[in-house]
Amino acid sequence: RVHGGKTKEKKRKQKKRKENKRKEKKTKEKKRKIKKQKMHSSTPLIPPPNFGQVEHGLYRSGHPSEMNYPFLEKLKLNTVIDLAPEDPDQKLKDFLEDAGVKYHHLQIFEPSPWKPNWEDMVQQALEIVLDASRYPILVMCNRGRHRTGTVIGCLRKLERWSMVSILEEYRRFAEDKSRVANEQFIELFDTDLVHIPSNHPKWL
């Protein structure tokens, strides 16, 4: 009986220790959340370079750095399309993964937009952009100028913008770095190659 009593007491103590550990874990998690909320409430919201809103729920920018993460969190992104040829840094990958953002790396290489790679990648990017279930979406590349500008320019053709307006927008984001080859690619891009799904965004 004494032995049985000791066993019960031992089990009771083990159970209590487990409960205490669970409570400690919950308390730590709660403190971590509060700390994160305080940090974000006091952190200035800084958008990534060359950031802009294309349409409702659709954004464009250059590659973000850590100081831009609080701003991106506010957008509640569902999808990121990265057009840069290089792999993103691990911190960005971790941030997107933790935020539950689906990351699509559609590498558009230099030197010429006349290579088939450009047409294929632009087409793939547009097919993602035209799927309303993937919103909100951020389209980005290194500086948010040429690759992003080319994809957005081709999207504007689908929206039936005039070429004057399309090129004005491209040049505004490219600043003094606009490229004639990119502008020609936009102008000659065949929008019939792009499949428009039934669940396309309402603004199209």
Side-chain angles (χ1 to χ4, degrees):
R1 286 182 184 176
V2 174
H3 179 72
K6 283 183 179 179
T7 303
K8 283 182 182 179
E9 180 66 19
K10 189 178 180 181
K11 285 182 178 179
R12 189 183 67 79
K13 285 181 179 179
Q14 285 176 344
K15 190 178 178 182
K16 194 172 181 180
R17 274 198 296 271
K18 284 181 181 178
E19 284 176 1
N20 288 339
K21 281 183 180 179
R22 275 197 294 268
K23 284 179 182 177
E24 282 176 18
K25 192 177 178 182
K26 283 183 180 179
T27 305
K28 283 180 181 178
E29 284 175 0
K30 194 174 180 181
K31 284 180 179 178
R32 227 180 352 252
K33 282 181 182 178
I34 292 169
K35 187 179 178 182
K36 193 176 179 182
Q37 285 170 356
K38 282 182 178 177
M39 183 183 73
H40 285 172
S41 62
S42 60
T43 302
L45 298 177
I46 303 168
N50 237 354
F51 177 82
Q53 181 167 353
V54 180
E55 292 289 356
H56 180 69
L58 177 60
Y59 309 96
R60 61 177 292 168
S61 77
H63 271 173
S65 61
E66 282 185 88
M67 69 178 181
N68 307 131
Y69 294 170
F71 177 88
L72 293 180
E73 283 184 339
K74 292 288 184 182
L75 299 180
K76 300 187 185 302
L77 295 172
N78 183 35
T79 305
V80 164
I81 302 170
D82 187 358
L83 306 170
E86 304 85 9
D87 288 328
D89 62 59
Q90 192 58 46
K91 286 179 182 177
L92 178 57
K93 280 184 176 179
D94 292 342
F95 165 74
L96 295 174
E97 189 177 336
D98 291 344
V101 178
K102 296 174 186 70
Y103 175 76
H104 298 270
H105 194 192
L106 306 180
Q107 297 167 295
I108 296 182
F109 292 96
E110 296 288 10
S112 169
W114 300 110
K115 288 189 175 181
N117 169 265
W118 272 72
E119 196 165 81
D120 292 344
M121 293 300 102
V122 169
Q123 195 176 334
Q124 283 185 48
L126 289 175
E127 284 176 3
I128 295 171
V129 167
L130 295 175
D131 185 349
S133 68
R134 299 174 185 265
Y135 276 62
I137 295 175
L138 173 66
V139 182
M140 67 179 186
C141 60
N142 290 336
R143 301 288 181 186
R145 290 174 180 161
H146 307 300
R147 295 171 179 83
T148 299
T150 301
V151 168
I152 300 305
C154 293
L155 174 66
R156 296 307 192 193
K157 284 191 77 174
L158 285 169
E159 293 183 89
R160 302 185 187 280
W161 278 32
S162 70
M163 277 308 302
V164 172
S165 298
I166 292 171
L167 295 181
E168 188 280 325
E169 181 181 45
Y170 169 80
R171 289 166 186 164
R172 179 157 40 89
F173 280 92
E175 298 171 333
D176 60 344
K177 307 274 186 186
S178 61
R179 295 175 181 169
V180 174
N182 292 56
E183 294 179 9
Q184 288 177 337
F185 179 88
I186 295 167
E187 193 168 356
L188 297 172
F189 182 74
D190 185 2
T191 55
D192 290 338
L193 295 171
V194 182
H195 170 68
I196 300 176
S198 57
N199 67 329
H200 61 76
K202 290 179 181 178
W203 44 258
L204 185 64

